[in-house]
Amino acid sequence: MNPTDIADDGAELLPIATGARTRAALRTLIRPDRGRAIVGLGVLVGATAVGLLVQPLLGRIVDIVADGRPADALTLPVVLLLVVAVVQGVTTTLGLTQVARLGETVLARLREQFIERALQLPADRLERAGAGDLTARVTGDVARVAEAVRSALPEMARSVLAIVLTLGAMALLDVRFLLAALLAVPVQALTARWYVTRAVTVYADQRVANGAQQQQLLETIGGAVTVRGHRLEEQHTEKSAARSRRAVELTMRSVHLVLGFYARLHIAEYIGLAAVLVTGFFLVRDGAVSIGTATAAALYFHSLFGPVNAALVLLDDAQSAAAGLARLVGVTDLQESTDLKASADLKASADLKASAVRLPHQRTTSDAAVTVEAVSHAYGPGRTVLHEVSLTLRAGEHVALVGTSGAGKSTLARLVAGVQQPTGGTVSVAEGRTAPSVPSVVLVTQEVHVFTGTLAEDLRLARPDATDADLRTALATVHALEWAEALPEGLATVVGEGGHRLDPARAQQLALARLVLADPPVAVLDEATAEAGSAGARTLERSAEAALAGRTALVVAHRLTQAVAADRIVVLEAGRVVESGTHDELRTADGPYATLWHAWSGSRAAPHL
């Protein structure tokens, strides 16, 4: 895999696979459908071979007319032409259908691998790359590859076969016709080399520029309120314009490249056709071949214009698709890279197995549900947010994380949930009562997404086999059944984008209901009641308490009322544990927690921690 690229804005882009790795990945994707590939290729070879009978039949008609034979002599070649047309049409359709099915199957397999890998990327890796890079790959690059699979791949297969078999047919007429036709090959080869050496760089740069452009647009639109509040409209507009200019500049370079490519191809066609016609003239004059044979040779070469041009022109699509495929394979191969393999193992264990999350030198304790040992984490050089934090959550214990903004609470929560890997130390989740299909840890954050679909479908994301009764039980547990059944169509009401709008508090209750349905032994809540506002805070806190009943829980406390209800409170400051104990112990200890408590209890509302 190529070294990670650095964007103009300093973002550490996701990796791009090398050419060799991309080809190897493509072979792996095709391997399960080798039979279909062989059948499709074989049918296309037969279709192309049948089509090559057209030129000799036309040449035969020319000889019949030149010799002044009766009109009846034309019947057989004309009938044969019709038969050839029908057979070629049927076999070509069958062959292209097989190739298209193969392409769509491979594309679907690639998409699944890409999405699977993208969903497992650690949050800090995505933050370093920027959302625009991943967005550009999942939209633009997938679209380019899909377009190539649906149009370029079948056409390329047919064109290459036509070229090879047509040149063989010219040699059968007379090898001198083949030699004359080959005079065009050096020009075509130089044209292809000239184009490919330039296209690879241009298209790769174009994809990166498009990703940077999307990243800037996402940042500007997503932070529109902040941009307007600080009067940064002009600066962000200029940044967006600069990245758009870069993308347009690279697009124009690709257009000029294609124009030069076509111009050189026309020169090659002129040289080859002129050579074949001159050769035919001398061979007919010397009586070596008939006029019909010379005509067939010229028609053969003329018929190569389409396939040769198509094959070479498709290099444009092929290079663009290859650049996109390399970017997709770069993401699907991330599990092979050293810096992410441990994270992939951690995520797979935490989310998919009912076994411990095992990292090197793990040490377990008999009554510990979660063990964090000397964990450190940094988002980059000089950006260390956790310093050798150790923490043990006993089975069934509810632990609240408290601290000021930037103390490292959310980072520690994500490490325990397996969403990110620590840069040092170990995290382990002990074996519990879960079945293989039940996740060991579930994370609920304040950023809740309501998926488009019915409310029932949204809930079943956590447990696809849940019955309607299960859904109602989960909603009732988090005190959400009343409003859910009051929706226009109850559980069948469409929610999410374009559907019934759920306010932040109800969306969070929906997330907590999913937690109940997933039924993990360990739950992590990262300020999961923060979006409710003061009015809905108590309702969400009751919902969270009900959802956490009977589970081991780590709660990033947004309000100190959550800390008061916890079995134990852990206070973080500057990425280090500075206090740990019950509410009463810490309140009387005159430490950082006592300071926070006095500040909170002396005001009407708790500060955002």
Side-chain angles (χ1 to χ4, degrees):
M1 193 174 296
N2 288 336
T4 301
D5 292 322
I6 304 298
D8 294 337
D9 60 355
E12 184 182 333
L13 301 181
L14 296 169
I16 300 174
T18 62
R21 177 64 197 121
T22 301
R23 290 188 293 273
L26 190 58
R27 288 193 296 271
T28 301
L29 290 169
I30 294 175
R31 188 171 295 123
D33 296 285
R34 284 176 296 182
R36 176 175 290 169
I38 293 172
V39 170
L41 183 62
V43 174
L44 283 180
V45 169
T48 305
V50 170
L52 292 177
L53 296 175
V54 171
Q55 289 82 356
L57 288 172
L58 291 175
R60 179 62 178 168
I61 291 174
V62 170
D63 283 337
I64 290 173
V65 174
D67 293 342
R69 298 181 189 178
D72 293 345
L74 296 173
T75 302
L76 180 60
V78 169
V79 171
L80 290 176
L81 281 174
L82 292 174
V83 173
V84 167
V86 172
V87 173
Q88 185 184 24
V90 172
T91 53
T92 299
T93 300
L94 292 175
L96 291 178
T97 299
Q98 289 296 317
V99 173
R101 285 178 177 173
L102 171 66
E104 290 293 342
T105 302
V106 171
L107 179 62
R109 195 171 292 130
L110 174 64
R111 279 174 170 161
E112 291 170 1
Q113 290 183 6
F114 179 85
I115 295 299
E116 179 183 3
R117 177 53 46 207
L119 290 175
Q120 292 179 358
L121 288 178
D124 55 343
R125 185 66 182 89
L126 282 178
E127 290 171 1
R128 294 200 303 270
D133 186 31
L134 186 63
T135 301
R137 297 186 192 218
V138 80
T139 55
D141 292 322
V142 169
R144 287 296 180 95
V145 174
E147 182 181 356
V149 165
R150 290 168 184 152
S151 59
L153 177 62
E155 187 62 29
M156 176 69 84
R158 187 170 63 171
S159 297
V160 171
L161 288 174
I163 292 168
V164 173
L165 295 179
T166 299
L167 291 176
M170 291 184 72
L172 290 177
L173 293 178
D174 193 295
V175 72
R176 286 167 286 190
F177 286 125
L178 174 61
L179 295 176
L182 292 179
L183 290 177
V185 172
V187 180
Q188 293 167 335
L190 290 174
T191 298
R193 181 178 179 183
W194 173 85
Y195 176 75
V196 169
T197 54
R198 289 161 175 78
V200 172
T201 302
V202 169
Y203 285 118
D205 291 345
Q206 192 175 11
R207 299 266 65 77
V208 172
N210 288 339
Q213 181 187 31
Q214 290 195 36
Q215 175 66 26
Q216 183 60 48
L217 291 174
L218 288 171
E219 290 179 353
T220 300
I221 295 172
V225 175
T226 302
V227 170
R228 288 194 297 267
H230 291 273
R231 298 293 189 268
L232 299 175
E233 295 94 339
E234 186 175 340
Q235 294 94 318
H236 274 257
T237 299
E238 178 55 35
K239 287 181 179 179
S240 298
R243 295 191 178 184
S244 296
R245 285 194 295 270
R246 174 61 175 165
V248 170
E249 175 189 341
L250 289 169
T251 299
M252 294 308 299
R253 282 177 58 187
S254 67
V255 170
H256 289 302
L257 194 64
V258 171
L259 291 176
F261 178 66
Y262 276 111
R264 287 164 173 78
L265 284 185
H266 293 328
I267 294 173
E269 291 173 356
Y270 174 80
I271 292 173
L273 185 57
V276 171
L277 290 173
V278 169
T279 301
F281 170 78
F282 285 110
L283 291 177
V284 171
R285 189 191 65 177
D286 295 339
V289 298
S290 67
I291 295 176
T293 301
T295 301
L299 290 173
Y300 269 138
F301 187 80
H302 188 273
S303 71
L304 285 175
F305 285 8
V308 169
N309 287 351
L312 293 178
V313 168
L314 286 174
L315 286 174
D316 180 63
D317 293 335
Q319 292 303 316
S320 179
L325 183 61
R327 285 160 57 82
L328 296 178
V329 172
V331 175
T332 62
D333 271 0
L334 275 176
Q335 68 182 52
E336 301 298 332
S337 72
T338 304
D339 63 328
L340 291 175
K341 192 173 191 307
S343 175
D345 292 342
L346 178 60
K347 184 70 169 68
S349 297
D351 284 354
L352 300 178
K353 297 180 181 179
S355 59
V357 178
R358 301 191 181 276
L359 294 173
H361 311 298
Q362 178 192 357
R363 180 166 57 86
T364 60
T365 56
S366 58
D367 62 345
V370 178
T371 303
V372 178
E373 293 191 49
V375 162
S376 299
H377 189 76
Y379 289 102
R383 298 179 59 198
T384 302
V385 293
L386 291 178
H387 305 271
E388 296 188 353
V389 172
S390 293
L391 176 66
T392 299
L393 275 68
R394 294 182 295 275
E397 183 182 27
H398 290 185
V399 174
L401 282 181
V402 172
T404 57
S405 179
K409 305 186 298 297
S410 292
T411 299
L412 180 57
R414 285 185 286 183
L415 295 179
V416 171
V419 174
Q420 293 177 233
Q421 70 168 93
T423 53
T426 63
V427 177
S428 63
V429 179
E431 295 184 3
R433 56 180 170 76
T434 59
S437 60
V438 177
S440 295
V441 184
V442 167
L443 170 67
V444 179
T445 71
Q446 66 182 20
E447 299 173 356
V448 177
H449 182 74
V450 179
F451 293 88
T452 301
T454 66
L455 182 64
E457 290 172 341
D458 208 305
L459 288 166
R460 286 194 176 99
L461 290 172
R463 204 174 94 203
D465 62 349
T467 64
D468 285 352
D470 294 331
L471 303 185
R472 288 187 172 87
T473 299
L475 288 168
T477 300
V478 298
H479 312 290
L481 182 59
E482 182 178 351
W483 65 255
E485 291 187 331
L487 293 175
E489 298 179 54
L491 295 180
T493 302
V494 175
V495 295
E497 186 174 353
H500 186 87
R501 180 180 176 83
L502 298 182
D503 61 39
R506 290 183 174 183
Q508 198 64 257
Q509 284 181 310
L510 180 61
L512 292 171
R514 291 197 204 110
L515 170 64
V516 173
L517 286 168
D519 196 23
V522 179
V524 178
L525 268 56
D526 184 4
E527 298 190 347
T529 64
E531 295 297 319
S534 299
R538 184 52 192 157
T539 298
L540 269 189
E541 286 174 9
R542 289 176 57 239
S543 298
E545 289 172 6
L548 296 179
R551 309 181 205 285
T552 304
L554 180 66
V555 179
V556 177
H558 176 68
R559 292 179 172 81
L560 289 188
T561 50
Q562 295 172 290
V564 172
D567 298 318
R568 183 159 50 102
I569 300 169
V570 173
V571 183
L572 290 182
E573 272 193 5
R576 292 181 170 85
V577 175
V578 294
E579 281 188 306
S580 178
T582 65
H583 167 70
D584 290 335
E585 292 171 347
L586 297 183
R587 185 170 56 86
T588 58
D590 197 25
Y593 179 80
T595 301
L596 288 172
W597 173 256
H598 292 313
W600 177 83
S601 60
S603 63
R604 286 189 173 184
H608 289 195
L609 302 177

